[in-house]
């Protein structure tokens, strides 16, 4: 999830797209990735190299490419949509690619980047998500067993405050900076004119470049990424809710996708002659009528549908009480004879 | 949430003449009930009741048992027994009977009955009965696996989360992968194969869920792993530890994001390239696998179909390949059974199981699925509704719409009826009720209107309301103070008259 928009937040989009690329390289297909981006970088009029988003100066790596699948773009990246994806309370018309169809054997990786503060994360410069809401959303997921294990990585200022309130089991969290510290960006590119990446994500990506689908590197190595000398801020992590020892958790458990397989040793025996005898299935000749556009709701009807009449409710008790108090005090203080001046 | 399940299984033990053990406590017919408790966790217990009727055979059953082989006897006995879902009938035949082959003491038929060889008295018979009910209805581990949400992780066995979760429907996709269309022009008559072989199995399973079937052909789809060439067998080998990495590169191309919201089961048939033929899968010990197939729990299965090299090297490419759908479907349907958890491998040696033939699964295997799914559904409903109640307690200002409320009521009523039916032994109605309960509870829990974006930290509340109300409140409070003072003064000087 990239929670920022506007040109000067280029680095957040580059962060998110780089992590997206790594995760795809290690085997997770697009059908299993929900990518939320404001997506206003590549085609921004201020972008000197249109249709590209670079993550390294000297324009070495274009992370936008031509097979990026953004599921929630632009104004769809809101706190409400994010929480809907997590908890599953999605309107029925949402397509499959915008849903999180996980079950109790799924390991989920959540990477968020943007601008944050102590206990909140700013979404698109207009709203915020608090750490309490996030913790509640994870608890809702746990109640419905929508995850087996969850890895939460956040790269914002004061990122550690976002994982302070988690209370559901099997969650491991990493943040780029502690409460009170700012996460800094890595390097500007003079050609493009903005900072291209954040430091923490840059070093995490360097670390991930060495991981391949069969590698055995574990989480303790990920915790060592980006020490204070390189990152200026102090990365933090939280593993008390996690049941397994981080030493035994492979990076590919979250960043890649290694399936459990079993060799099929049983077969059943089918009798083709028997099948032929039993299954004289006549083909269903359903005369399907071709759908005609004219039979749908006429356009005039759609456009001019009146809005539903909202029922009028009398004002509530609080407002009535307040006004009664004001009026009573006014007349008591100034005397009833002033009424004729008002009415 | 706490839950008490009572699973009642109606069992009938029918004694053929000369097979009645000598140490029966009462003369036939009599009833017996055996109860067993399975503690799942602190708040969930499952009690199983085996309500057994012991009786002797009727004349028709005796005639049926006079058949030549066990299979014929089973077919003849089928119309005479209790065929309601969940029930079991065990026919005890004399020790010397020729119905059961040598060395076999128990024969389990295609329907809901079994033939058991007598001998050893009542205690031995009860032990056999116990084994039989474990095979034909449910075991402690299958019930615990169905309740895996509630069992602490340490106690779960390795196959706790292997089998498909109970769902209202499943989507089955058959895909043919042809990475080398220049060399092989592969034809598979999938529609015919689905109608002939897959449809009977799905019809049998239609009680459990709705199934929909699609198929597709993918060209230039390669496996992510390069197979090794083995000089001794002059074939290419895929080792067991490279199999987990095969699925992901293919999955991106399978198009499962266009499918429905039901869980998707993918069955892939891979025809290796000319340059990598023949391709065999090795198991952990290095031996080639006879089915040349592997499966991944909750995902599906992959089978490698080798095409023979052309007789003459000058044969024109592409070779036309007609896939032998019988062989392929035997493997795919076996994988389908394994994905659902119906395995026939872990059985005591003296058991003989009748093959279910083209139907794919025996009636008692269907019962096993239904027991597990019913228990799982009821447990899910209980957890869902409890967590919904907790959410609504915690966040007081969520508005509950009428239809959400009615779904909740419906879910509770259906769940209660499912539990009641389970306690009596009506598996069919219990399963239907549990399905309705799950549908209603999921609809209530995942209703889009229940989103809670309503957390305001206290300091935000102060920061908003104080600048609004404090300036307005100052004159009001001062005036109130003035009124109070005046009233008090008037009370103090009642007698002062001017």
């Amino acid at each position: 999830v990239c929670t920022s928009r506007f040109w000067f937040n280029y680095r957040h989009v580059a962060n998110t797209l780089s992590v997206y690329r790594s995760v795809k390289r290690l085997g997770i297909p697009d059908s299993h990735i929900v990518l939320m981006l404001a997506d206003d970088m590549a085609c921004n009029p201020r972008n000197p190299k249109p249709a590209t988003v670079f993550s390294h100066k000297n324009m070495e790596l274009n992370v936008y490419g031509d097979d990026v699948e953004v599921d929630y773009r632009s104004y769809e990246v809101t706190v409400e949509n994010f929480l809907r994806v997590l908890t599953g309370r999605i309107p029925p018309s949402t397509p499959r690619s915008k849903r999180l169809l996980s079950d109790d054997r799924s390991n989920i990786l959540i990477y968020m980047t943007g601008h944050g503060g102590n206990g909140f994360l700013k979404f698109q410069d207009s709203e915020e998500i608090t750490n309490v809401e996030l913790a509640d959303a994870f608890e809702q997921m746990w109640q419905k067993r929508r995850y087996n294990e969850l890895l939460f990585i956040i790269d914002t200022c004061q990122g550690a405050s976002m994982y302070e309130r988690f209370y559901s089991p099997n969650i491991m969290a990493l943040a780029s900076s502690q409460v009170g510290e700012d996460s800094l960006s890595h390097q500007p590119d003079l050609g493009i004119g903005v900072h291209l990446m954040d430091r923490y994500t840059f070093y995490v990506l360097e670390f991930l470049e060495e991981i391949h689908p069969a590698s055995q590197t574990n989480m303790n190595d990920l915790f060592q990424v980006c020490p204070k000398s390189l990152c200026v801020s102090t990365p933090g992590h939280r593993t008390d809710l996690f049941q397994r020892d981080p030493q035994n958790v492979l990076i590919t458990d979250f960043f890649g996708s290694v399936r459990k397989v079993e060799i099929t040793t049983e077969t059943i025996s089918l009798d083709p002659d028997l099948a032929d005898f039993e299954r004289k299935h006549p083909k269903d000749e359903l005369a399907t009528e071709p759908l005609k556009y004219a039979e749908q709701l006429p356009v005039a009807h759609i456009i001019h549908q009146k809005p539903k009449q909202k029922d009028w409710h009398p004002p509530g008790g609080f407002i009535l009480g307040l006004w009664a108090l004001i009026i009573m005090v006014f007349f008591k203080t100034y005397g009833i004879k002033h009424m004729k001046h008002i009415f | 949430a706490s839950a008490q399940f009572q699973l009642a299984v109606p069992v009938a033990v029918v004694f053929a003449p000369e097979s009645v053990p000598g140490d029966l406590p009462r003369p036939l017919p009599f009833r017996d009930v055996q109860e067993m408790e399975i503690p799942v966790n602190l708040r969930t217990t499952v009690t199983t009741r085996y309500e057994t009727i012991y009786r002797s055979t009727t004349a028709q059953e005796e005639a049926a048992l006079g058949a030549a082989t066990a299979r014929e006897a089973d077919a003849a006995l089928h119309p005479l027994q209790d065929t309601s879902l969940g029930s079991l009938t065990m026919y005890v035949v004399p020790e010397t009977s020729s119905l059961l082959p040598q060395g076999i003491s128990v024969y389990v038929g295609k329907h809901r009955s079994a033939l058991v060889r007598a001998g050893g008295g009542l205690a031995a018979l009860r032990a056999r009965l116990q084994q039989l009910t474990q095979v034909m209805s449910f075991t402690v581990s299958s019930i615990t696996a169905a309740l895996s949400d509630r069992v602490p992780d340490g106690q779960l066995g390795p196959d706790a989360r292997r089998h498909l979760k109970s769902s209202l429907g499943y989507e089955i996709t058959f895909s043919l992968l042809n990475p080398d269309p220049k060399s092989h022009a592969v034809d598979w008559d999938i529609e015919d194969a689905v109608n002939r072989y897959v449809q009977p199995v799905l019809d049998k399973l239609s009680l459990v869920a709705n199934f929909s079937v699609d198929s597709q052909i993918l060209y230039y789809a390669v496996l992510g792993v390069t197979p090794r060439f083995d000089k001794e067998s002059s074939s290419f080998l895929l080792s067991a530890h490279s199999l987990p990495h095969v699925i992901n590169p293919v999955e991106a191309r399978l198009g499962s994001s266009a499918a429905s919201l039901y869980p998707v089961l993918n069955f892939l048939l891979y025809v290796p390239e000319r340059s990598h033929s023949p391709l065999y899968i090795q198991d952990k010990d290095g031996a080639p696998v006879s089915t040349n197939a592997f499966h991944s729990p909750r995902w599906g299965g992959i089978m490698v179909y080798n095409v023979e090299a052309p007789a003459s090297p000058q044969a024109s490419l592409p070779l036309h390949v007609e896939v032998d759908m019988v062989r392929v479907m035997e493997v795919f349907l076996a994988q389908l059974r394994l994905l659902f958890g119906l395995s026939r491998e872990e059985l005591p040696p003296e058991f003989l199981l009748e093959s279910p033939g083209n139907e794919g699964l025996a009636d008692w295997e269907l019962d096993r699925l239904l027991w597990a799914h019913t228990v799982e559904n009821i447990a899910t409903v209980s957890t869902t509704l409890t967590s919904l109640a907790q959410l609504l307690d915690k966040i007081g200002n969520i508005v509950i719409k009428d239809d959400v409320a009615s779904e909740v009521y419906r879910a509770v009523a259906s769940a209660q009826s499912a539990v009641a039916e389970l306690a009596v032994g009506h598996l069919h109605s219990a399963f239907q009720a549990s399905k309705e309960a799950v549908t209603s509870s999921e609809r209530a829990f995942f209703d889009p209107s229940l989103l809670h974006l309503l957390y305001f930290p206290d300091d935000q509340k102060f920061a908003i309301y104080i600048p609004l109300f404090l300036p307005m409140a100052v004159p009001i409070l001062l005036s109130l103070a003035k009124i109070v003072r005046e009233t008090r003064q008037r009370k103090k000087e009642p007698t002062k008259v001017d």
Side-chain angles (χ1 to χ4, degrees):
Chain A
V1 179
C2 167
T3 60
S4 313
R5 53 189 304 114
F6 306 133
W7 174 247
F8 48 83
N9 290 323
Y10 188 100
R11 59 190 185 282
H12 297 143
V13 174
N15 287 349
T16 317
L17 285 173
S18 314
V19 174
Y20 170 76
R21 290 247 159 259
S22 299
V23 150
K24 268 178 82 161
R25 178 179 61 84
L26 290 172
I28 302 189
D30 274 312
S31 55
H32 289 231
I33 303 179
V34 175
L35 180 61
M36 302 174 81
L37 283 184
D39 208 11
D40 56 351
M41 298 302 157
C43 299
N44 195 305
R46 291 166 77 169
N47 191 349
K49 304 274 177 196
T52 60
V53 172
F54 290 108
S55 69
H56 198 275
K57 70 173 180 207
N58 303 328
M59 305 193 198
E60 278 171 18
L61 182 60
N62 174 14
V63 288
Y64 198 67
D66 51 5
D67 61 342
V68 171
E69 254 188 47
V70 181
D71 299 303
Y72 286 86
R73 60 159 38 94
S74 184
Y75 293 109
E76 293 171 352
V77 181
T78 58
V79 175
E80 182 185 335
N81 280 344
F82 179 60
L83 290 179
R84 281 194 191 283
V85 167
L86 286 184
T87 55
R89 298 208 166 94
I90 288 189
S93 54
T94 319
R96 194 181 164 109
S97 59
K98 282 187 164 177
R99 292 179 187 246
L100 179 63
L101 294 166
S102 55
D103 61 13
D104 62 334
R105 273 182 76 231
S106 311
N107 285 354
I108 303 186
L109 165 69
I110 300 184
Y111 173 83
M112 301 183 79
T113 183
H115 289 290
N118 189 356
F120 66 91
L121 174 60
K122 195 165 73 159
F123 258 73
Q124 304 259 343
D125 223 23
S126 64
E127 46 181 7
E128 317 161 334
I129 183 171
T130 54
N131 48 8
V132 174
E133 281 175 338
L134 196 56
D136 282 342
F138 286 162
E139 176 65 15
Q140 295 274 298
M141 289 173 80
W142 174 250
Q143 296 273 343
K144 279 303 278 175
R145 296 296 184 275
R146 278 163 71 79
Y147 67 89
N148 174 33
E149 290 171 346
L150 200 140
L151 176 62
F152 178 74
I153 305 183
I154 185 160
D155 187 353
T156 63
C157 306
Q158 307 196 54
S161 64
M162 286 308 282
Y163 62 63
E164 274 173 4
R165 299 291 199 110
F166 292 165
Y167 55 94
S168 315
N170 285 350
I171 301 186
M172 198 189 306
L174 278 125
S176 60
S177 54
Q178 301 293 334
V179 176
E181 286 180 350
D182 290 334
S183 280
L184 302 180
S185 58
H186 186 58
Q187 47 181 220
D189 179 302
L190 298 176
I192 297 184
V194 282
H195 286 258
L196 293 184
M197 281 279 268
D198 279 333
R199 285 183 186 231
Y200 182 70
T201 308
F202 182 80
Y203 290 109
V204 165
L205 280 157
E206 254 185 19
F207 173 78
L208 286 177
E209 289 298 311
E210 282 144 46
I211 310 284
H212 55 88
S215 92
Q216 300 288 312
T217 332
N218 58 41
M219 277 298 170
N220 275 341
D221 302 323
L222 189 56
F223 296 155
Q224 309 301 331
V225 160
C226 204
K228 195 167 165 108
S229 53
L230 288 173
C231 250
V232 186
S233 57
T234 323
H237 55 90
R238 180 176 175 180
T239 53
D240 59 314
L241 294 166
F242 207 73
Q243 281 179 5
R244 293 194 286 156
D245 186 5
Q247 183 83 17
N248 301 331
V249 180
L250 298 177
I251 300 285
T252 51
D253 277 354
F254 290 101
F255 284 90
S257 173
V258 181
R259 313 259 182 167
K260 287 198 167 45
V261 297
E262 291 162 29
I263 307 280
T264 311
T265 46
E266 293 183 19
T267 44
I268 66 172
S269 54
L270 290 173
D271 188 350
D273 303 320
L274 195 60
D276 210 13
F277 181 76
E278 282 176 0
R279 282 269 131 209
K280 290 288 185 200
H281 211 74
K283 278 222 168 81
D284 289 312
E285 295 291 338
L286 286 172
T288 44
E289 285 178 17
L291 296 168
K292 297 203 272 279
Y293 279 119
E295 267 147 79
Q296 293 181 2
L297 207 56
V299 174
H301 198 131
I302 299 172
I303 291 178
H304 297 299
Q305 271 176 344
K306 287 208 173 53
K308 251 184 9 197
Q309 301 284 3
K310 285 221 173 75
D311 299 319
W312 179 82
H313 294 283
F318 177 69
I319 304 289
L320 274 180
L322 191 64
W323 278 107
L325 183 66
I326 292 174
I327 290 179
M328 188 192 82
V329 167
F330 177 80
F331 285 115
K332 196 73 181 111
T333 319
Y334 297 104
I336 210 88
K337 62 185 194 299
H338 286 270
M339 270 204 33
K340 68 173 190 291
H341 292 288
I342 297 169
F343 291 108
Chain B
S2 69
Q4 317 290 336
F5 290 98
Q6 239 204 16
L7 304 171
V9 185
V11 181
V13 179
V14 182
F15 292 100
E18 296 161 32
S19 66
V20 183
D23 52 346
L24 286 179
R26 292 187 290 269
L28 297 173
F30 66 93
R31 281 175 178 271
D32 193 328
V33 174
Q34 275 184 323
E35 285 200 8
M36 196 175 66
E37 251 198 37
I38 310 173
V40 174
N41 67 17
L42 286 173
R43 290 171 304 170
T44 316
T45 41
V46 179
T47 325
T48 56
R49 286 167 60 96
Y50 295 102
E51 295 166 353
T52 327
I53 304 180
Y54 295 85
R55 62 176 174 83
S56 35
T57 50
T58 62
Q60 291 163 317
E61 287 171 343
E62 264 184 59
L65 283 172
T69 65
R71 186 181 300 185
E72 289 170 24
D74 187 48
L77 285 168
H78 175 55
L80 303 169
Q81 58 186 234
D82 178 11
T83 50
S84 62
L85 266 65
S87 62
L88 296 176
T89 315
M90 189 168 109
Y91 294 95
V92 184
V93 292
E95 226 170 315
T96 51
S97 162
S98 57
L99 271 183
L100 299 171
Q102 276 284 19
I104 301 291
S105 336
V106 180
Y107 166 85
V108 179
K110 277 207 286 194
H111 305 288
R112 294 189 171 89
S113 61
L115 300 177
V116 176
R117 199 192 289 275
L122 189 60
L125 200 64
R126 284 228 167 100
R128 275 274 176 255
L129 182 59
Q130 170 96 336
Q131 270 184 324
L132 205 54
T133 50
Q134 298 270 332
V135 169
M136 291 175 77
S137 59
F138 47 79
T139 59
V140 172
S141 64
S142 71
I143 294 293
T144 327
L147 293 170
S148 63
D149 286 352
R150 292 159 179 254
V151 178
D153 261 345
Q155 276 181 20
L156 285 174
D159 36 82
R161 299 215 184 110
R162 266 165 70 197
H163 308 144
L164 287 169
K165 281 182 92 74
S166 158
S167 159
L168 295 164
Y170 299 93
E171 172 132 0
I172 299 184
T173 307
F174 291 104
S175 311
L176 174 64
L177 298 172
N178 187 355
D180 197 5
K182 288 204 261 297
S183 313
H184 301 132
V186 187
D187 251 332
W188 70 343
D189 194 359
I190 184 71
E191 205 175 330
D192 180 63
V194 164
N195 283 337
R196 275 199 194 188
Y197 305 117
V198 180
Q199 203 53 46
V201 180
L202 296 183
D203 286 343
K204 191 103 187 252
L205 282 173
S206 62
L207 193 58
V208 177
N210 296 328
F211 285 89
S212 63
V213 180
D214 341 295
S215 71
Q216 61 179 343
I217 305 182
L218 290 176
Y219 293 106
Y220 293 107
V222 290
L223 299 180
V225 183
T226 327
R228 254 184 338 109
F229 182 68
D230 182 42
K231 278 209 226 21
E232 293 164 8
S233 53
S234 64
S235 59
F236 287 85
L237 297 174
L238 268 180
S239 60
H241 63 81
S242 61
L243 292 177
H245 306 291
V246 166
I247 297 181
N248 282 320
V250 184
E251 167 126 40
R253 305 197 47 195
L254 285 177
S256 47
S257 57
S260 71
L261 294 173
Y262 289 142
V264 178
L265 301 176
N266 295 296
F267 292 102
L268 272 53
L269 185 64
Y270 182 73
V271 179
E273 305 112 309
R274 176 91 269 129
S275 52
H276 283 155
S277 288
L279 181 61
Y280 295 109
I281 298 180
Q282 266 184 331
D283 64 12
K284 280 193 272 289
D285 310 315
V289 175
S290 58
T291 54
N292 221 15
F294 64 98
H295 60 277
S296 180
R298 294 200 186 171
W299 182 81
I302 299 186
M303 178 178 172
V304 177
Y305 187 86
N306 285 314
V307 172
E308 283 176 14
S312 62
Q314 283 89 23
S316 67
L317 298 175
L319 291 171
H320 184 77
V321 180
E322 190 72 42
V323 176
D324 176 12
M325 294 309 292
V326 178
R327 190 156 69 92
V328 166
M329 280 305 165
E330 283 181 348
V331 173
F332 280 163
L333 289 174
Q335 287 179 335
L336 181 68
R337 281 170 49 101
L338 289 170
L339 288 169
F340 272 103
L342 302 169
S343 165
R344 287 187 162 206
E345 293 207 314
E346 319 98 21
L347 286 171
E350 61 274 9
F351 274 60
L352 174 66
L353 294 181
E354 175 65 54
S355 146
N358 281 18
E359 281 195 321
L361 59 157
D363 286 352
W364 53 270
E365 289 179 313
L366 183 64
D367 285 355
R368 277 188 79 101
L369 267 187
L370 289 179
W371 285 114
H373 282 200
T374 312
V375 170
E376 189 183 332
N377 285 348
I378 298 178
T380 312
V381 171
S382 162
T383 318
T384 308
L385 292 177
T386 315
S387 74
L388 185 60
Q390 280 174 352
L391 167 71
L392 297 174
D393 267 341
K394 205 167 157 208
I395 302 179
N397 34 4
I398 285 188
V399 173
I400 304 173
K401 296 194 304 196
D402 282 337
D403 49 348
V404 174
S406 67
E407 291 289 351
V408 172
Y409 285 133
R410 202 179 311 159
V412 170
S414 301
Q416 283 173 337
S417 116
V419 170
E421 297 284 344
L422 266 187
V424 180
H426 298 152
L427 183 56
H428 190 178
S429 39
F431 180 70
Q432 303 288 33
S434 73
K435 259 208 304 198
E436 278 174 29
V438 165
T439 320
S440 296
S441 70
E442 297 280 308
R443 236 181 265 152
F445 187 88
F446 286 118
D447 190 85
S449 68
L450 290 177
L451 197 61
H452 53 290
L453 280 183
L454 302 164
Y455 174 72
F456 299 116
D458 287 334
D459 44 3
Q460 278 190 19
K461 281 196 200 126
F462 282 130
I464 291 175
Y465 287 122
I466 288 189
L468 198 59
F469 287 115
L470 194 60
M472 190 168 68
V474 165
I476 293 182
L477 289 172
L478 287 179
S479 310
L480 273 173
K482 186 162 168 238
I483 292 171
V484 164
R485 243 181 292 136
E486 276 180 8
T487 328
R488 247 192 241 145
Q489 262 185 335
R490 221 178 291 133
K491 272 209 197 119
K492 271 197 204 136
E493 311 164 7
T495 54
K496 196 163 185 197
V497 176
D498 253 15

